Structures are given as C-alpha cells and as structure tokens.
C-alpha cells in the first residue's frame, strides 16, 4: 500500500534523466537523511514495510478474530469448584434439558395443531389467517426462547408495521431471528438451509413472508433485490428484517454491511443484539457445528441472556451514498452493542479476495 | 514435537527457542503456536498455502505470492524460523537475509535483474508499464555501480541495505 499509492501519480510520464523523488518514494522511507533528487538501489530493494504487513497478517489478523469463538476461562479447576461444576452438569443434562425438551415439544404440538388447520381452512380469509399465523409464529418463538431459558431485555420502541421500512440487525447466530421474532413477526431474508431447518423455512416461515437466497448462485442477487423491493412496497406485509453482515460473526465485532438493504429507498431501523457471554456463547460457528448441535448446546446451558435495542430509524441523508449510509448505521449498531468494527466483507469467509483488491494495494 | 500434540511442553518451547536463536520469548512462542494451530485446520502439522490465502489481509498484500513460495508446507519450527526475521530481537543481518531470500526466487544464492523485476512488478502492478519498470531498474542499478547483467549476492545486499535502519517488525499478541 505504501509504494503503489505514491507511484500512481507518476504513471503517465517517467523522466528518467532526472528521477523525481516524490514519484518513487514509498511514504515514510528512511530517506530523509539522503540528498534529494536520487532514487537509490537501496529504496528499490527495501521491501520491509510490505513484508512487515504480511507478517503482521500471518501473526494475527482482524478478520479471523471476528469468527473466533473464545472458550470461556475454565473456572472449575480446583477441588471445591470441580464437584460443584459436576453437579451443575448433571443438573443441566438430566433435569433441565429434558424439561426443556418437554416444553419445546408441547409448544410444537400446540403450534402445529393450530397452524395446520388455520392454514388450510381459512384459505379464503387471508387477513384473518395471516394475523393468526403471525401470532402463532410469535408463540412458537417464545417457546423456543423459553426452551433455552432465554432472558431477553428489549429496549426502545417496539417495531410497528408501516410500509417502506426495513429493519437491520447484527448477526451472531440463527437464534437472533427467533429472539426478534418473539416480539414481532418479521419477514426475514435468509440463506436456504438443508435439512430440517430448510423444511421449516419452506413451510412455516413462508407464511410470514420470508425471502430466500442462495449464496452460491450469482444471478440470485438481482432476483432477491427485486423481491425485497416488492416486499417493502406492500403495506400488508410483515416488516422486513435483514442481517446486512451476510454471515454470523462472534458478537465482539461487526464486519462490513452489504449495501443491498440500504438501497431500497426506505427508512432503516437499526436493531442491536448483544449476548451475555457469562451464561453461554451464542455465536454459531457454522463451519464448526451444525445448527442442531448448536441448538443442543444452547439447550444444555444455563441460560441465554441478551439485550436487544431498537434504535432510532435512519434515512438516507442527501448526498450520501448507500455505502456511506450502511457504514453510518453499522456505526450506530456497533456503538450501542459495544462491538468493534472491522473493515472486511463477511463473505471473505467463503471465498478469497479477488485480485483487484491486491491491485489496489 | 509430534503432529498430533496440541499442547506444547516446556521442552518443546525451549527447543524452538533455540532453533530461532531466541528471537521470541517463551510466551510469544506459545502465542504463535496457538495461531499455528488455528491456521492448521486439518491438524496435519503443517500449514498449506491455501490457509494463508484465506487471511484477507495477507491475500491482498502485493508480495503474498513470493512469500507463499517460501511458506509452503511449513511445520511449526519452520514457521517460527520464518517469523523470527520480524522479531524486534533479530539482527539487521537476519532481516537482510530474509529480504534476500524473498528476491532470490530460484534459491541459487544470486539475485538477477529478472528477480528484482518480478518483485518490482508485484509491488507496482499496473501503475507502471513493463518498459518503465525495466528502465527504472536499469537506471538505478547503474547509479549504484552494477549493470543489468550483474548478479547480486547476499554481501551486496548487506552493503546496500546495511547502513539503514531497516524497520521490519510484526508484533505478536500475547494474552
């Protein structure tokens, strides 16, 4: 970044008879002592700044840090605490866990026995059916949250249903959606998952108006953008929830927001979610565990404690590009939830940076 | 130090410290070991080049290709030896040797005009044409007393870069 940035200005003319030192010098090189007007072999060969950057990246880089799940310090290491911890484990797995599974099963039974009839019988009465389905989805989400003994504190005005508004939130795990859905039935845009989650997605979530995308398909973006636009125009649709990071991050950092959510010409209502790590690490490391395992881990922990802040709606300021708008909203969310910002695109988790990023450096 | 062990013993740490000529403290070595294990996802005892490319900060570095060539298939000892050039405790000579190795693409102990051109190309990309690069390099070499066809060896590098305060350091986070 040092050498190329300065060389850029000299790309047109290169006067070799009188080399111009400003054109060639890497910024901050140890040249100040030398007489001006001469590019020396020493400067050309000194690649140490670039090498230092590379070594710094090898040793520790801000991107990997976003996805590291930090295990909590083991506190059960001495003779008094260890039996207590063993007791806790027994309690959690043998008593609390089955209770939770029971609660969840009851919840599902109630839900399915109400949802399926309503879905089919009330086919003609759309509005009624939709509002009942909405309450049912909110209910099953509450059951889910109860099954992890979720203690959620909501701050700020509850979302209301208005056209031309979009909600954006930081993303830590799939349960973000459930936590938010418990309060208000959102329509969410999510990656299509395989397995039982995918089944749930296509049946129940369809009723609240969710939109699917597939990360691996290139053309998908335009289709999704169109669907998003259609959704926000409809007054009757559930408010749309988008996770602009595009991937799960470990609740200490935020990665760059994708601008899609900010180009729709609506007001953007930021929502910040922060989990309390003392009770459980809610970060879903999708490369390390499947969602089922993640859920089981949550259900065998003591509790899921989190804070949800509904923040002030923002609109695109005159003269602001969507990217700047996205950055501004990311700033607001990060400050509220105490997360550090990182200048990387979340999708780099799945692919390499393209050569053009290297060229720019 | 076996491939399967995920914990370093004191003995291992001392051995590695000896190997890198005490360029790192024991804490730094332990920290770097954690980093190594993080990068070595498949626990095979060495880091494939792919892993380095999955670090965005590294992948966008202009010299990543040259460094990858040097880094391929490193086990932990070699990893530490590689990074020891970036420790504040390593000597200027060690750092210059490292830079020499980056330039010496065919590892024959001599840096040719083409070698230097390759590195220059990596650094400047499309901001300079090939012709301009050759001209600048030839010009600068002549001013320093070499010709286009001369080969630079390590002692030349020492002479050229030796009397500067070369800053080449990377900080190892120790928690």
């Amino acid at each position: 970044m040092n050498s190329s940035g300065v060389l850029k200005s000299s790309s047109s003319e290169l006067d070799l008879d009188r080399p111009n030192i400003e054109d060639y010098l890497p910024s901050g090189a140890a040249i100040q002592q030398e007489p001006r007007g001469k590019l020396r072999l020493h400067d050309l060969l000194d690649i140490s700044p670039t090498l230092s950057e590379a070594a710094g990246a090898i040793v520790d880089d801000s991107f990997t840090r976003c996805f590291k799940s930090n295990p909590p310090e083991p506190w059960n290491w001495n003779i008094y605490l260890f039996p207590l911890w063993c007791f806790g484990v027994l309690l959690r797995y043998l008593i609390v866990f089955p209770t939770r599974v029971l609660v969840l099963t009851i919840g599902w039974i109630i839900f399915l026995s109400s949802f399926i009839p309503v879905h089919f019988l009330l086919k003609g009465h759309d509005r009624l059916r939709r509002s009942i389905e909405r309450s049912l989805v909110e209910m099953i989400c509450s059951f889910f949250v109860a099954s992890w003994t979720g203690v959620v504190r909501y701050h700020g005005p509850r979302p209301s249903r208005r056209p031309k508004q979009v909600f954006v939130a930081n993303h830590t795990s799939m349960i973000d959606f459930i936590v938010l859905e418990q309060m208000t039935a959102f329509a969410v845009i999510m990656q299509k998952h395989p397995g039982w989650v995918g089944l749930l997605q296509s049946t129940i979530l369809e009723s609240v108006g969710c939109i699917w995308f597939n990360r691996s398909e290139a053309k998908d973006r335009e289709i999704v953008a169109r669907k998003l636009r259609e959704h926000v125009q409809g007054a009757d649709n559930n408010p749309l929830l988008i996770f602009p990071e595009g991937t799960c991050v470990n609740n200490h950092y935020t990665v760059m927001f994708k601008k899609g959510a900010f180009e729709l010409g609506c007001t953007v209502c930021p929502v910040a979610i922060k989990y309390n790590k003392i009770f459980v690490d809610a970060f879903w490391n999708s490369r390390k565990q499947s969602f089922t395992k993640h859920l089981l881990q949550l259900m065998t922990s003591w509790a899921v404690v989190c804070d949800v802040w509904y923040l002030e709606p923002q609109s695109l300021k005159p003269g602001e590009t969507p990217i700047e708008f996205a950055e501004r909203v990311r700033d607001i969310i990060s400050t509220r939830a105490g997360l550090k910002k990182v200048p990387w695109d979340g999708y780099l988790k799945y692919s390499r940076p393209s050569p053009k990023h290297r060229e720019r450096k | 130090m076996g491939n399967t062990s995920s914990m370093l013993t004191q003995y291992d740490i001392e051995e590695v410290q000896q190997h890198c000529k005490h360029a790192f403290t024991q804490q730094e070595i332990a920290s770097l070991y954690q980093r190594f294990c993080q990068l070595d996802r498949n626990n095979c005892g060495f880091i494939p080049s792919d892993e380095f490319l999955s670090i965005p900060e590294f992948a966008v570095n202009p010299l990543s290709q040259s460094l990858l060539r040097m880094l391929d298939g490193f086990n932990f000892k070699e990893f530490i030896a590689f990074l020891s050039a970036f420790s504040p405790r390593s000597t200027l000579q060690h750092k210059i040797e490292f830079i020499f190795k980056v330039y010496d693409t065919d590892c024959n102990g001599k840096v040719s005009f083409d070698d230097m051109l390759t590195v220059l190309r990596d650094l400047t990309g499309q901001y300079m044409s090939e012709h301009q690069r050759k001209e600048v390099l030839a010009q600068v070499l002549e001013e320093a007393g070499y010709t286009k066809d001369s080969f630079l060896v390590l002692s030349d590098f020492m002479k050229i870069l030796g009397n500067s305060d070369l800053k080449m350091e990377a900080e190892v986070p120790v928690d």
Side-chain angles (χ1 to χ4, degrees):
Chain A
M1 197 145 83
N2 298 332
S3 341
S4 320
V6 182
L7 276 167
K8 165 158 64 162
S9 47
S10 71
S11 54
S12 36
E13 302 108 308
L14 214 66
D15 194 348
L16 290 168
D17 296 335
R18 291 173 285 109
N20 230 335
I21 210 165
E22 298 96 11
D23 291 348
Y24 299 148
L25 260 196
S27 47
I31 274 302
Q32 282 83 353
Q33 311 107 308
E34 304 299 335
R36 294 198 57 132
K38 266 197 167 261
L39 174 68
R40 296 171 75 242
L41 186 57
H42 158 278
D43 316 314
L44 214 60
L45 289 180
D46 186 2
I47 48 174
S48 53
T50 323
L51 287 181
S52 305
E53 274 180 24
I58 295 179
V59 167
D60 187 22
D61 74 297
S62 49
F63 186 68
T64 319
R65 263 188 271 150
C66 291
F67 301 103
K68 213 158 51 142
S69 24
N70 300 314
E73 292 287 323
W75 57 271
N76 57 355
W77 42 263
N78 73 17
I79 191 86
Y80 306 107
L81 296 176
F82 189 67
L84 206 62
W85 177 76
C86 285
F87 178 65
V89 168
L90 285 173
L91 197 66
R92 270 189 287 140
Y93 279 82
L94 296 181
I95 301 183
V96 176
F97 179 61
T99 322
R100 287 177 177 172
V101 172
L102 191 65
V103 165
L104 197 59
T105 323
I106 297 178
W108 272 108
I109 296 176
I110 301 179
F111 176 74
L112 288 171
S113 56
S114 332
F115 189 83
I116 295 177
V118 166
H119 192 72
F120 291 111
L121 295 179
L122 290 183
K123 265 234 151 74
H125 315 269
D126 256 359
R127 292 210 84 166
L128 182 61
R129 176 173 74 129
R130 297 256 290 262
S131 64
I132 297 184
E133 282 177 353
R134 246 195 297 268
S135 336
L136 283 179
V137 170
E138 282 176 25
M139 184 204 70
I140 187 64
C141 287
S142 318
F143 264 100
F144 256 114
V145 173
S147 77
W148 321 307
T149 319
V151 178
V152 187
R153 280 185 298 191
Y154 295 94
H155 312 261
R158 306 291 174 263
S160 45
R161 287 150 47 88
R162 271 187 288 192
K164 304 203 73 124
Q165 75 176 354
V166 174
F167 288 82
V168 302
N170 60 313
H171 200 28
T172 303
S173 160
M174 282 257 275
I175 68 174
D176 288 342
F177 162 64
I178 300 181
V179 163
L180 290 177
E181 191 83 357
Q182 182 193 218
M183 177 60 59
T184 333
F186 285 110
V188 97
I189 161 169
M190 13 172 27
Q191 162 86 20
K192 202 71 161 60
H193 280 98
W196 63 270
V197 183
L199 183 63
L200 276 185
Q201 284 181 324
S202 23
T203 47
I204 298 165
L205 295 181
E206 194 79 30
S207 68
V208 277
C210 291
I211 301 174
W212 316 119
F213 69 86
N214 212 330
R215 236 172 242 139
S216 28
E217 274 173 44
K219 281 287 172 176
D220 206 49
R221 271 219 206 143
E222 297 146 24
I223 306 176
V224 170
R226 190 175 37 86
K227 284 199 212 164
L228 284 179
R229 252 187 292 268
E230 284 169 9
H231 188 102
V232 290
Q233 302 298 343
D236 215 21
N237 288 328
N238 291 324
L240 187 61
L241 175 64
I242 301 181
F243 295 108
E245 283 172 314
T247 185
C248 291
V249 186
N250 73 353
N251 214 227
H252 286 289
Y253 299 92
T254 49
V255 294
M256 299 219 71
F257 278 8
K258 303 213 168 306
K259 61 180 166 78
F262 303 89
E263 291 180 315
L264 298 168
C266 316
T267 43
V268 171
C269 312
V271 181
I273 309 178
K274 177 85 177 156
Y275 292 90
N276 190 330
K277 280 191 83 157
I278 300 181
F279 295 96
V280 78
D281 185 1
F283 170 49
W284 176 36
N285 199 336
S286 56
R287 278 194 289 193
K288 275 208 181 144
Q289 28 170 227
S290 69
F291 188 57
T292 320
K293 261 213 203 125
H294 177 65
L295 268 191
L296 286 176
Q297 190 203 342
L298 288 178
M299 285 176 72
T300 51
S301 320
W302 288 111
V304 172
V305 178
C306 67
D307 284 287
V308 174
W309 290 276
Y310 294 105
L311 303 167
E312 199 186 313
Q314 307 285 327
S315 336
L316 193 66
K317 290 204 180 116
E320 206 181 27
T321 66
I323 299 181
E324 287 166 2
F325 184 32
E327 272 303 288
R328 189 163 57 91
V329 173
R330 181 162 86 116
D331 220 3
I332 297 175
I333 294 184
S334 308
T335 325
R336 185 65 266 205
L339 308 170
K340 295 194 253 258
K341 292 170 35 167
V342 155
W344 297 106
D345 179 348
Y347 274 10
L348 286 173
K349 204 166 141 191
Y350 303 99
S351 59
R352 310 251 176 276
S354 59
K356 62 173 154 75
H357 289 115
R358 227 181 327 135
E359 283 290 320
R360 265 195 272 144
K361 269 218 139 190
Chain B
M1 191 156 43
N3 295 344
T4 49
S5 66
S6 53
M7 285 296 300
L8 275 186
T9 65
Q10 180 66 21
Y11 187 61
D12 293 329
I13 295 186
E14 282 171 9
E15 195 189 328
V16 170
Q17 218 184 11
Q18 279 282 64
H19 186 78
C20 70
K21 302 189 195 42
H22 290 267
F24 290 115
T25 66
Q26 300 203 348
Q27 270 182 319
E28 286 173 339
I29 292 182
S31 210
L32 284 170
Y33 186 69
Q34 269 187 348
R35 177 71 173 168
F36 182 83
C37 290
Q38 201 183 57
L39 291 172
D40 177 19
R41 247 185 269 275
N42 305 324
N43 274 329
C44 36
F46 64 91
I47 311 179
S49 346
D50 258 14
E51 271 312 315
F52 285 109
L53 285 177
S54 72
I55 305 173
E57 266 174 54
F58 181 79
V60 300
N61 191 293
L63 292 176
S64 51
Q65 292 303 321
S66 310
L67 286 172
L68 273 182
R69 187 191 12 104
M70 294 168 70
L71 277 170
D72 202 13
F74 263 10
N75 67 18
F76 183 57
K77 255 199 192 152
E78 292 161 352
F79 182 66
I80 292 279
F82 176 84
L83 289 175
S84 61
F86 296 92
S87 149
R89 280 171 224 94
S90 74
T91 61
L92 181 62
Q93 180 180 22
H94 190 55
K95 295 188 206 270
I96 298 178
E97 265 177 42
F98 187 87
I99 297 184
F100 184 78
K101 279 197 224 146
V102 174
Y103 273 96
D104 187 11
T105 42
D106 45 9
C107 301
N108 60 359
K110 295 190 281 208
V111 170
S112 66
F113 185 78
D114 282 330
D115 288 336
M116 289 189 272
L117 198 61
T118 311
V119 175
L120 190 60
R121 192 180 305 125
D122 279 339
L123 284 175
T124 55
Q126 50 179 230
Y127 292 114
M128 282 172 83
S129 75
E130 190 67 13
H131 178 69
Q132 285 171 338
R133 276 193 276 265
K134 288 197 180 146
E135 293 243 17
V136 171
L137 196 53
Q139 172 91 1
V140 167
L141 275 174
E142 271 182 46
E143 283 174 8
Y146 300 97
T147 70
K148 249 186 85 163
D149 304 313
S150 53
F151 289 97
L152 282 98
V153 290
L154 186 56
S155 48
D156 294 312
F157 263 69
M158 295 289 184
K159 211 174 7 152
I160 299 167
L161 296 166
N163 50 0
S164 66
D165 41 347
L166 210 68
K167 281 292 277 180
M168 197 163 87
E169 275 167 31
E171 201 186 307
V172 179
V174 175
D175 34 39

